[in-house]
Amino acid sequence: MPTLLEALEEKYGMEPDEKEEHVEEEVLVSIFVPKLPPRQSTPQLLILNDCNIDRAGEPEDLKKKCRIVKELDLAQNKLNNWNEVFVILSHMPRVEFVNLSLNHLTGPIQKPPVTKMDHLRNLVLNNTKLEWCSVEKLLRLLPALEELHLSLNEYTHVLIDTVNPTERSNSERGSTDEGSSQGTATDASSNNNTHDGSATSQTKERKEVEEETPYASCSCSTSSAEPQQRTDAEEPPPLQTDPHGGVRKLHLTGNYISEWGEICRIGRVFPQLEALVLADCPLRYVESLKPTDPQGNESEEESHKYFQNLKLLNLSNAKIDSWEDIDRLAEFPSLCNVRLQYWPLWARTDSTTEHERRQLLIARLPNISILNGGDTIGAVEREDAERSFIRHYLDKPDAERPRRYYELIGVHGQLDPLVNIDLRPERKVKVRFTFEDKAIERTVDVNRTVSDLKSRLERLFDVPAARMRLYYVDQDFRDLQGLEEMKYPHKVLYSYNIRSGDEIIIERKVKS
């Protein structure tokens, strides 16, 4: 399999030493000539996906060729060692975007040749099966990271957090082991003292330990692709990490995370998060689990607590089946753009049309300006939606009315139901048919044609349809308008404006 350098030279041309052949000893005319032809120079956007690359290549040549690269796409190659990835990136000091999707980069991460990559802002690691311990180490190496893609990595849990799992387990163990020995009590006291110390000293001590411990000691594993067979007890505790204040966008599409409590860990790790994509994740609700204090008392935790800056949230194809979760989304203080498509809730909603469903969502989400990728919601559309929402619940009992209904009553007042006016013409009318001295009243479907009407009348009056003439008489304009012959066989009856009470006269054609 080729190295990155070999794939680069195969795609973009000559080797570094060949440049000297293009230098003339004597220049008689001074003109501008690029150092390298465009085909033989490395671009700032370097795309080498699906080239079977498994390692970096000669460092010096790689450094010469890739020093200006800003965007690197290595998706769908054979990279499986983070050391090779770090070697590649160490020779690209300006790189801002890296796509490593579909490389088997689970980890662990050894100590890299560079301590930090200060320019890398966008990292795509979709379908790499990357372990959470490797995510935690990458976050320390990428202080400028703004956008992170971790889709299709088969996560069932988020095994990264800002809470120290050791301290949590010690506090839980201390609350249950009341009858423990003196030595155990001393250990618990020591742990409590550590917890009460300064956060700065804790972080310093943790980093000193990490520097002494090889990166390869990471032992966490990715979640299985069959979440039904896994339980919370089988998952290791989440890793402790410092909050990363730079990440603004996170993509977790197509993972198996089903609990909002797991998503809250993401909010703690990325406090400045503005866009969170959870499409195709089987989330069942937007509600945190109620945490328990050392005394065993449950405390209420708001679902939006850790997402104060979140502006965009994609929950398409979630398993949410409750309007209460929509109301919880309305509590996110900065949220203005949501995608809520293909929920089980829509299959059983009372609304029968896409327009009615959109109105219900707009009315329940007062701060949302973009819904499901549509146009910006204007003031007129929002007012119409809120009025429609009030009328939707007018006939419902109080127990079924949401809190938002009463909020909107305070804005728009108590509204009357809309009058249902049907402007469609009558489909069936009662008409008087007269033939010579015989008169019969029958109900007629006005969507039928004159020809069809004749074929039905021939059974009533014993007159062949081919020998029949029909004359329409409007009851209101009998004296002014007279008779109107219905002589076009394919003309539809409603085009004559036939109403109940009108008359149709039948005559037999005279043989000539």
Side-chain angles (χ1 to χ4, degrees):
M1 286 182 285
T3 65
L4 184 144
L5 185 61
E6 291 170 346
L8 177 61
E9 291 172 350
E10 180 179 353
K11 184 172 183 178
Y12 293 98
M14 69 181 191
E15 305 207 7
D17 294 339
E18 296 180 2
K19 291 186 292 182
E20 303 299 329
E21 300 177 3
H22 295 268
V23 180
E24 299 288 345
E25 293 182 0
E26 295 183 4
V27 180
L28 301 179
V29 180
S30 298
I31 60 174
F32 172 76
V33 179
K35 290 183 178 180
L36 288 175
R39 181 75 179 121
Q40 296 176 335
S41 61
T42 304
Q44 292 186 350
L45 171 57
L46 181 56
I47 301 176
L48 293 172
N49 51 14
D50 198 14
C51 293
N52 290 320
I53 297 169
D54 64 342
R55 57 193 187 281
E58 183 61 35
E60 289 302 320
D61 291 343
L62 192 63
K63 183 177 182 180
K64 291 177 182 178
K65 279 187 171 288
C66 299
R67 61 182 180 274
I68 67 168
V69 172
K70 289 188 175 182
E71 298 185 35
L72 175 64
D73 187 350
L74 290 176
Q76 204 168 348
N77 281 289
K78 304 297 182 182
L79 293 167
N80 58 11
N81 190 323
W82 275 101
N83 285 343
E84 293 295 328
V85 174
F86 289 134
V87 169
I88 292 170
L89 298 181
S90 66
H91 298 311
M92 300 180 182
R94 302 182 184 180
V95 70
E96 298 177 358
F97 169 92
V98 176
N99 183 3
L100 296 170
S101 298
L102 294 165
N103 289 278
H104 194 68
L105 291 167
T106 58
I109 293 180
Q110 303 282 347
K111 189 174 181 63
V114 290
T115 55
K116 287 185 180 181
M117 287 158 276
D118 295 335
H119 292 88
L120 187 57
R121 289 181 168 81
N122 194 319
L123 181 59
V124 184
L125 297 168
N126 297 334
N127 206 357
T128 58
K129 308 302 181 285
L130 187 72
E131 300 174 352
W132 283 109
C133 57
S134 299
V135 175
E136 189 262 343
K137 290 178 173 62
L138 285 173
L139 292 176
R140 289 189 238 154
L141 297 171
L142 304 173
L145 189 64
E146 296 177 358
E147 184 168 346
L148 178 61
H149 294 247
L150 296 173
S151 300
L152 300 170
N153 282 332
E154 300 182 358
Y155 300 137
T156 60
H157 294 72
V158 177
L159 301 180
I160 186 171
D161 204 341
T162 57
V163 179
N164 190 334
T166 304
E167 294 175 0
R168 181 193 304 166
S169 61
N170 285 342
S171 63
E172 292 174 355
R173 186 166 58 248
S175 64
T176 55
D177 299 343
E178 296 179 356
S180 59
S181 62
Q182 181 65 33
T184 305
T186 304
D187 292 340
S189 175
S190 175
N191 286 332
N192 291 335
N193 291 335
T194 303
H195 179 70
D196 293 335
S198 66
T200 305
S201 62
Q202 282 185 11
T203 304
K204 182 177 180 181
E205 291 174 3
R206 181 168 63 84
K207 289 183 177 179
E208 290 175 354
V209 172
E210 288 167 352
E211 290 175 358
E212 296 173 0
T213 305
Y215 274 50
S217 63
C218 173
S219 61
C220 72
S221 60
T222 53
S223 303
S224 170
E226 299 178 358
Q228 297 86 350
Q229 299 177 2
R230 302 295 297 268
T231 63
D232 292 342
E234 294 174 329
E235 294 295 337
L239 299 157
Q240 179 189 16
T241 189
D242 295 325
H244 194 293
V247 173
R248 299 293 196 274
K249 299 178 181 178
L250 178 66
H251 293 250
L252 286 169
T253 298
N255 287 293
Y256 301 118
I257 304 168
S258 60
E259 306 293 335
W260 187 257
E262 300 293 318
I263 304 302
C264 287
R265 292 175 180 169
I266 292 292
R268 290 192 285 266
V269 174
F270 305 117
Q272 302 301 320
L273 199 63
E274 296 178 0
L276 178 58
V277 180
L278 299 170
D280 299 325
C281 293
L283 285 165
R284 296 176 294 176
Y285 42 75
V286 185
E287 182 181 18
S288 301
L289 297 176
K290 295 181 179 180
T292 306
D293 60 19
Q295 287 73 34
N297 300 319
E298 289 187 346
S299 59
E300 190 71 29
E301 186 174 83
E302 297 173 330
S303 56
H304 60 278
K305 179 178 179 180
Y306 305 106
F307 300 96
Q308 298 299 307
N309 300 297
L310 193 66
K311 298 178 181 178
L312 182 151
L313 178 61
N314 188 337
L315 292 174
S316 293
N317 272 320
K319 302 301 181 184
I320 296 175
D321 194 23
S322 169
W323 283 106
E324 285 74 14
D325 290 290
I326 303 293
D327 296 334
R328 293 187 187 101
L329 292 178
E331 298 174 357
F332 284 63
S334 303
L335 192 62
C336 59
N337 186 347
V338 293
R339 284 184 176 268
L340 311 174
Q341 296 169 302
Y342 314 114
W343 284 11
L345 176 61
W346 311 142
R348 66 172 185 82
T349 184
D350 294 335
S351 298
T352 56
T353 67
E354 187 74 23
H355 176 68
E356 290 172 337
R357 184 188 309 159
R358 177 178 174 85
Q359 285 190 320
L360 291 176
L361 286 171
I362 291 174
R364 284 182 180 262
L365 299 170
N367 298 324
I368 299 301
S369 57
I370 299 177
L371 176 62
N372 293 332
D375 294 333
T376 301
I377 300 170
V380 174
E381 183 182 11
R382 177 165 295 282
E383 182 175 351
D384 290 344
E386 291 175 351
R387 288 177 173 274
S388 177
F389 183 85
I390 294 174
R391 292 189 173 98
H392 177 81
Y393 285 97
L394 277 179
D395 298 330
K396 307 283 185 183
D398 287 342
E400 296 182 17
R401 291 174 176 172
R403 182 180 62 183
R404 182 64 178 158
Y405 170 81
Y406 299 100
E407 293 176 356
L408 292 177
I409 288 291
V411 175
H412 300 288
Q414 190 72 44
L415 304 179
D416 296 326
L418 292 176
V419 178
N420 186 15
I421 301 176
D422 189 357
L423 299 177
R424 293 174 297 178
E426 292 182 89
R427 180 177 177 181
K428 293 187 177 182
V429 295
K430 186 169 284 189
V431 178
R432 178 185 178 89
F433 294 95
T434 304
F435 175 65
E436 296 178 347
D437 59 350
K438 184 180 180 180
I440 299 176
E441 282 193 353
R442 287 290 187 270
T443 299
V444 178
D445 188 342
V446 296
N447 290 316
R448 297 189 181 278
T449 63
V450 172
S451 176
D452 185 46
L453 178 61
K454 286 182 177 181
S455 64
R456 291 174 180 271
L457 290 175
E458 67 179 356
R459 295 193 297 267
L460 292 176
F461 298 99
D462 195 23
V463 178
R467 302 284 306 278
M468 189 182 296
R469 291 182 187 275
L470 300 181
Y471 297 92
Y472 168 61
V473 181
D474 189 316
Q475 58 184 322
D476 294 330
F477 300 97
R478 177 187 294 269
D479 299 331
L480 297 177
Q481 186 171 307
L483 307 181
E484 180 181 359
E485 184 177 358
M486 304 168 72
K487 57 184 178 180
Y488 301 106
H490 298 296
K491 191 171 182 178
V492 184
L493 296 178
Y494 67 71
S495 63
Y496 290 95
N497 295 321
I498 297 178
R499 297 170 297 156
S500 294
D502 289 346
E503 181 181 5
I504 293 178
I505 298 175
I506 306 164
E507 285 187 358
R508 189 191 302 267
K509 289 182 181 179
V510 180
K511 292 183 181 181
S512 56

